[in-house]
Amino acid sequence: DAGITQSPRHKVTETGTPVTLRCHQTENHRYMYWYRQDPGHGLRLIHYSYGVKDTDKGEVSDGYSVSRSKTEDFLLTLESATSSQTSVYFCAIHQGLTNYGYTFGSGTRLTVV
Amino acid sequence: AQTVTQSQPEMSVQEAETVTLSCTYDTSESDYYLFWYKQPPSRQMILVIRQEAYKQQNATENRFSVNFQKAAKSFSLKISDSQLGDAAMYFCAYRSAKGQGGKLIFGQGTELSVKP
């Protein structure tokens, strides 16, 4: 969907290095989410945001932090990457209305070696 | 806490045939939404169909339909006249109706292959 972009699309990094993934939206949606996808687990919520500077933890937040200084950008940071954080990361946005589904980015495949 | 379970890691169907993917969920809430998402090899997450829990009528979108059994907490997806392009990973997801920005809770996924 053209309204949401993730960068980078692929990244290989070394254990112990910091990594930041970016999610950018042009839809002016209030809600933004970071998920990770792993085989056998589906997508699991890492962190989410319900407005500028308003964020909260999801079910797998350990080792991750987020920031949202502007409506359009939601950053996910791995302070010190570990091999267990090798995954595909998805950003999603939601306009906050009732039964509307979410719009997902194309995902970032992160490999920690 | 709500949970979503997809007990079929892999399914296979012959082209033009019908296949049903299973999904069960656990919740104490009475008002919620259920979704099926398709993820082809491109990794893109595509909304297939959605169901509001307060509606008794099962949702239908062209060849895709659901069997929503609220009391049994079951939400299966039926794909009729399967096509090669239906091959993908399918995820069932739950969202509470409380609040506006409810989080999606996903099942483990079912990998569907379509044989020509």
Side-chain angles (χ1 to χ4, degrees), chain A residues 29-31 33 92-98 100-102, chain B residues 95 100:
Chain A
H29 286 350
R30 178 181 176 188
Y31 299 93
Y33 308 81
I93 59 175
H94 189 268
Q95 56 186 302
L97 297 179
T98 53
Y100 282 80
Y102 291 53
Chain B
R95 181 204 160 192
Q100 289 191 333

Side-chain angles (χ1 to χ4, degrees), chain A residues 33 35 37 96 98-99 102 107, chain B residues 39 43 52 95 100-102 104:
Chain A
Y33 308 81
Y35 286 88
Q37 180 180 1
T98 53
N99 65 335
Y102 291 53
Chain B
Q39 186 183 48
R43 244 174 29 207
E52 294 89 340
R95 181 204 160 192
Q100 289 191 333
L104 277 177

